[in-house]
Amino acid sequence: MNAKRRDRIGAAWGVLAWAIGLGMFFPVLWMVLTAFKQEGDAYTDPPKLLFTPTLDQFSAVLDSGIGTTLLNSAFATIVSTILVLALGIPAAFALSLRPIRRTRDALMFFIGTKMLPIVAAIVPLYVIVGDIGLLDNIWALVILYTGMNLPIAVWMMRSFFLEVPGELLEAAGMDGAGTLTAVREVIAPLVSPGIAATALICVIFSWNEFFFAVNLTAVQAQTIPVYLVGFITGEGLYWARLSAAAVLTALPVVLAGWLAQNKLVRGLSFGAIK
């Protein structure tokens, strides 16, 4: 195959990749455009491409009490992610650089907890949460989100720890550093991209979680996914207002991903190149 033909094939693959990417991004673009429309403009057939942008839908959403649900989602997401990292990093370290007996069994137990369908566990969870007085309480979601994300975090962090040479721990020990000091001063900086990638994935999963929230909360602990369902009424859908609420909902996660993009890319490719 000559160089010219390879260039043509590469260009064709590039065009195809751009077409697929734009096709996947188009629904997001349409949601953003619809958020700046009046309800009448959002319902037109064919769709109205030329319109006068307005912030009325965003004002209506902000006035409808979305702030409380955003705070609930932020609290449950941030606290559960911190707990996942606090529990998952030591566990991943023990299963990688300081392996324990029957490590494989421990790993299979972690991942096995993800095999149970959530719908099969919701009834006993509802009874337990009700008995301990945590129905419609944000701490119930914090506990469940921590348990939901911990197995994934352990598996991810273990793969990152396995890429760290064990000799580093030995060298730190010879210099008089204890295990905690070695992990904090030597290992953690090396796997910080992996920690960032794991944290961001936990944030996304917790922020978007709907099933636990809709069954275990009502008013006080309502999260943003449950709030969005309120725009589906017997009168129909409020497309423009729903789009505005969806934009506000997606914005925190998009910003978090943008701020952590460098570490995220490094973390997801950690150990890919030897």
Side-chain angles (χ1 to χ4, degrees):
M1 184 183 296
N2 56 42
K4 186 177 291 185
R5 186 177 180 184
R6 285 199 301 268
D7 291 342
R8 287 199 298 267
I9 293 176
W13 279 110
V15 171
L16 179 62
W18 271 101
I20 294 174
L22 291 174
M24 296 178 67
F25 178 72
F26 180 77
V28 179
L29 175 62
W30 191 254
M31 176 187 72
V32 175
L33 291 176
T34 304
F36 290 94
K37 294 180 179 181
Q38 298 288 357
E39 288 294 345
D41 294 332
Y43 274 101
T44 58
D45 187 16
K48 194 172 184 179
L49 298 177
L50 298 178
F51 60 93
T52 302
T54 178
L55 296 176
D56 290 348
Q57 306 306 328
F58 289 97
S59 298
V61 170
L62 292 174
D63 292 339
S64 65
I66 191 175
T68 302
T69 57
L70 282 173
L71 289 176
N72 286 338
S73 287
F75 182 84
T77 298
I78 294 172
V79 175
S80 65
T81 300
I82 292 173
L83 290 175
V84 166
L85 294 179
L87 297 172
I89 291 175
F93 175 81
L95 294 170
S96 56
L97 296 178
R98 285 287 187 265
I100 60 174
R101 294 182 59 187
R102 306 182 71 87
T103 294
R104 187 177 181 84
D105 291 345
L107 288 171
M108 293 309 298
F109 170 77
F110 275 120
I111 203 64
T113 60
K114 300 296 294 180
M115 303 302 174
L116 179 67
I118 296 178
V119 68
I122 192 61
V123 172
L125 283 175
Y126 185 90
V127 173
I128 293 171
V129 171
D131 287 344
I132 62 178
L134 289 181
L135 280 178
D136 200 18
N137 190 308
I138 197 64
W139 282 104
L141 296 183
V142 169
I143 296 171
L144 290 173
Y145 291 172
T146 301
M148 176 183 72
N149 291 324
L150 186 57
I152 300 173
V154 170
W155 272 77
M156 288 185 64
M157 289 304 307
R158 179 176 181 269
S159 67
F160 300 138
F161 278 122
L162 287 174
E163 299 299 328
V164 178
E167 291 79 4
L168 289 177
L169 276 178
E170 296 176 4
M174 293 178 62
D175 290 337
T179 301
L180 291 178
T181 302
V183 172
R184 184 176 64 252
E185 302 294 338
V186 179
I187 306 300
L190 293 176
V191 299
S192 60
I195 295 175
T198 303
L200 185 59
I201 289 176
C202 292
V203 166
I204 293 173
F205 285 171
S206 299
W207 187 267
N208 294 331
E209 199 283 323
F210 175 78
F211 192 76
F212 285 144
V214 76
N215 285 284
L216 301 178
T217 68
V219 178
Q220 300 298 325
Q222 186 183 75
T223 59
I224 196 65
V226 180
Y227 171 83
L228 292 178
V229 177
F231 289 95
I232 304 175
T233 67
E235 301 173 359
L237 286 175
Y238 292 89
W239 287 108
R241 192 167 299 181
L242 177 60
S243 297
V247 169
L248 293 175
T249 300
L251 195 58
V253 177
V254 172
L255 289 176
W258 180 73
L259 292 174
Q261 59 181 324
N262 291 332
K263 287 187 177 296
L264 178 63
V265 173
R266 289 174 57 199
L268 293 179
S269 61
F270 201 91
I273 300 176
K274 297 290 186 181

